[in-house]
């Protein structure tokens, strides 16, 4: 089936099988490998992206379901070498160890801060509950997000 | 994970969706997909055709009638319900939906999907049974409405037959409700849960202890544990809890839910 999407401002049109998951479409068809596959069971959140303004796990959507949508992935955050304030905060607070969960953490935190620029500690934790860090480096991730909350 | 080959259709009307589901015994409705896509990865389900309901605006939205009755479209997501001003007329609905899984799942997962998948560990089957919801089911031959007590038929089985869709969830007015669960981690899968509603007497629905929610009536919170014991539960054992422990949790959670409803 023909699928047309806009990813980080660039339009793409591809012919995809209905059985293809959106994460595979991004990584294999569009070569956007920033979004990771951690568990492939909907638990870990490493594949989190924003579709039409809504944070989702891209391993639980079919690519054909995204037809016509506007997608944001981790590649769309920085402007060249200029990191977003949140990305810089992750760096400053050592909020990544192995880095595997980071793209999903960044997208979840980005979605949170867009909806709520002044989240409480509880709201930050709840916003990140769908993202698992196998290094268990949660505290610095929390601190990084908190540091950019107004 | 590569899914088995599947056809995909996205109808733009309820009639087209019902026709697509009726045309093929291997057709399955795709709502939020937060369960179905995963069971397809595991090959626990291998539909031939996915009928995506996400284009059907008639299955979305929440309306509040003058008498306090809520009419919920089954394609409403948990997050939409949590954010709905109308849904606050029955506060327990938003409270429970806010504790299902995580942000991403709540953004996609739907009320109708939670009910129609009828996994015994789901939150909403016991909740809808306790609040006395009615479920409207449509097929090509027309529609019918059944009470929640007649909707859940078995593990993963409901009154929605092949070729039919859940089209409306009707929740009567009320505020004195409670819900309690023991979960795998905060907001995780339920090991046991209970929903309670005060409507004259206490109506309590127990989840995770049988194939369908078990309904128990009690006069007051002090009577709840005896009422649960009288139901002679025989819950399944698994890696998370023995049957005996689940039966114990059912008593404890039923009382907690009942006390919340009485507040």
């Amino acid at each position: 089936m023909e699928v047309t999407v806009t990813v980080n401002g660039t339009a793409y049109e591809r012919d995809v099988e209905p059985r293809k998951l959106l994460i595979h479409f991004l990584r294999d068809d569009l070569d956007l490998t920033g979004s990771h596959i951690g568990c492939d069971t909907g638990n870990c959140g490493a594949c989190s992206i924003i579709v039409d303004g809504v944070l989702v796990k891209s391993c639980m959507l079919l690519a054909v379901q995204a037809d016509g949508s506007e997608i944001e992935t981790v590649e769309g955050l920085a402007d060249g070498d200029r990191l977003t304030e949140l990305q810089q905060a992750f760096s400053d607070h050592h909020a990544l160890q192995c880095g595997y969960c980071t793209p999903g953490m960044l997208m979840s935190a980005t979605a949170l801060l867009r909806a709520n620029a002044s989240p409480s500690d509880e709201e930050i934790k709840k916003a990140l509950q769908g993202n698992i860090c196998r290094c268990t480096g949660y505290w610095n991730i929390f601190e990084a997000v908190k540091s950019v909350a107004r | 994970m590569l899914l088995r080959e599947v056809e995909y259709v996205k109808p733009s009307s309820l009639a087209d969706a019902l026709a697509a589901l009726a045309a093929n015994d291997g057709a399955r409705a795709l709502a939020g997909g937060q369960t179905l896509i995963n069971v397809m990865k595991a090959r626990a389900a291998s539909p031939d055709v996915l009928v995506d309901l996400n284009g059907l605006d008639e299955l979305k939205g929440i309306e509040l009638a003058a008498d306090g009755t809520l009419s919920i479209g089954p394609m409403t997501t948990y997050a939409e319900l949590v954010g709905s001003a109308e849904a606050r007329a029955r506060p327990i609905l938003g409270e429970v939906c806010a504790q299902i899984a995580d942000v991403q799942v709540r953004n996609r997962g739907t009320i109708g999907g939670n009910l129609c998948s009828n996994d015994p560990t789901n939150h909403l089957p016991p909740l809808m049974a306790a609040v006395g919801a009615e479920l409207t089911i449509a097929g090509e031959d027309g529609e019918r409405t059944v009470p929640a007590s007649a909707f859940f038929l078995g593990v993963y089985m409901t009154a929605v037959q092949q070729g039919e869709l859940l089209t409306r969830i009707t929740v009567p007015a009320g505020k004195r409700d409670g819900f309690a669960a023991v979960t795998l981690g905060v907001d995780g899968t339920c090991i046991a849960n209970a929903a309670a509603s005060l409507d004259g007497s206490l109506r309590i629905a127990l989840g995770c202890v049988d194939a369908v929610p078990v309904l128990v009536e009690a006069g007051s919170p002090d009577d709840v544990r005896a009422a649960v014991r009288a139901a002679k539960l025989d819950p399944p054992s698994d890696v998370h809890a023995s049957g005996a422990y689940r039966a114990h949790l059912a008593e404890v959670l039923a009382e907690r839910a009942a006390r919340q409803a009485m507040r």
Side-chain angles (χ1 to χ4, degrees):
Chain A
M1 297 179 76
E2 282 298 309
V3 170
T4 305
V5 292
T6 303
V7 186
N8 304 324
T10 304
Y12 298 89
E13 194 175 338
R14 295 285 188 279
D15 187 28
V16 300
E17 281 188 277
R19 62 172 163 170
K20 182 166 280 186
L21 300 172
L22 182 53
I23 182 64
H24 293 303
F25 175 70
L26 291 171
R27 291 178 56 85
D28 300 344
D29 293 28
L30 304 187
D31 206 22
L32 293 168
T33 54
S35 307
H36 290 169
I37 302 170
C39 68
D40 206 9
T41 57
N43 289 293
C44 82
C47 65
S48 297
I49 60 171
I50 295 175
V51 178
D52 289 334
V54 178
L55 183 74
V56 300
K57 293 177 181 172
S58 59
C59 78
M60 290 197 286
L61 244 76
L62 302 173
V64 289
Q65 290 186 280
D67 184 38
S69 65
E70 263 189 51
I71 295 174
E72 297 167 71
T73 68
V74 70
E75 289 96 337
L77 294 181
D79 180 9
D81 289 338
R82 258 180 66 94
L83 300 180
T84 64
E85 195 183 359
L86 178 70
Q87 287 175 309
Q88 188 60 51
F90 266 59
S91 174
D92 295 344
H93 288 81
H94 192 60
L96 53 159
Q97 293 179 38
C98 82
Y100 201 86
C101 72
T102 311
M105 289 286 181
L106 285 169
M107 297 314 287
S108 291
T110 297
L112 165 71
L113 294 167
R114 265 185 209 167
N116 178 4
S118 314
S120 65
D121 290 2
E122 198 52 43
E123 286 169 333
I124 293 172
K125 290 174 187 172
K126 192 106 174 161
L128 298 177
Q129 73 185 153
N131 295 78
I132 293 173
C133 168
R134 289 304 303 267
C135 308
T136 69
Y138 294 105
W139 188 252
N140 287 354
I141 295 168
F142 167 79
E143 294 269 277
V145 178
K146 190 174 164 66
S147 75
V148 295
R150 306 281 170 237
Chain B
M1 186 78 71
L2 188 61
L3 306 181
R4 194 174 73 90
E5 285 183 348
V6 64
E7 278 179 54
Y8 171 87
V9 292
K10 188 176 180 182
S12 52
S13 75
L14 180 60
D16 288 351
L18 292 171
L21 287 165
N24 188 328
D25 279 347
R28 292 289 178 274
L30 173 61
Q34 304 301 283
T35 301
L36 181 56
I37 299 290
N38 283 326
V39 298
M40 287 175 68
K41 290 175 193 169
R43 302 292 199 274
S46 291
D48 298 321
V49 183
L50 286 174
V51 181
D52 188 351
L53 307 182
N54 283 281
L56 304 179
D57 289 341
E58 58 221 279
L59 297 186
K60 294 177 187 168
I62 300 175
E63 288 157 31
L64 176 62
D67 67 353
T69 302
L70 278 168
S71 173
I72 303 169
M75 285 299 290
T76 304
T77 65
Y78 307 125
E80 285 165 351
L81 191 145
V82 170
S84 158
E86 288 79 13
R88 269 169 223 140
R90 192 112 201 198
I92 196 72
L93 300 176
E95 276 176 43
V96 172
C97 286
Q99 56 185 273
I100 295 175
D102 55 50
V103 178
Q104 294 94 320
V105 169
R106 289 194 290 274
N107 282 345
R108 282 295 296 185
T110 65
I111 310 302
N114 194 294
L115 294 171
C116 291
S117 61
N118 195 29
D119 184 310
T121 65
N122 279 0
H123 293 66
L124 298 187
L127 181 64
M128 291 302 173
V131 300
E134 294 193 323
L135 297 309
T136 302
I137 299 165
E140 286 194 294
D141 300 331
E143 64 175 39
R144 65 185 191 282
T145 297
V146 301
S149 54
F151 182 81
F152 305 107
L153 300 182
V155 177
Y156 310 137
M157 282 165 38
T158 68
V160 180
Q161 301 297 311
Q162 182 62 33
E164 295 185 322
L165 284 171
L166 173 65
T167 53
R168 187 79 12 206
I169 300 141
T170 309
V171 178
K175 285 200 188 301
R176 307 200 67 183
D177 306 309
F179 185 88
V182 169
T183 56
L184 300 170
V186 175
D187 299 343
T189 303
C190 295
I191 296 172
N193 62 27
S197 188
L198 181 67
D199 181 13
S201 64
L202 279 162
R203 182 171 49 220
I204 296 159
L206 308 166
C208 311
V209 292
D210 205 337
V212 299
V214 176
L215 277 169
V216 172
E217 301 264 345
S220 82
D222 294 336
D223 306 331
V224 166
R225 294 188 67 154
V228 174
R229 270 197 297 276
K232 303 215 178 303
L233 300 174
D234 184 20
S237 296
D238 61 22
V239 291
H240 305 302
S242 66
Y245 181 57
R246 269 204 176 81
H248 167 73
L249 286 180
E251 278 186 40
V252 173
L253 296 171
E255 183 174 343
R256 278 185 201 161
R259 292 202 181 279
Q260 185 190 345
M262 297 295 289
R263 273 207 306 257

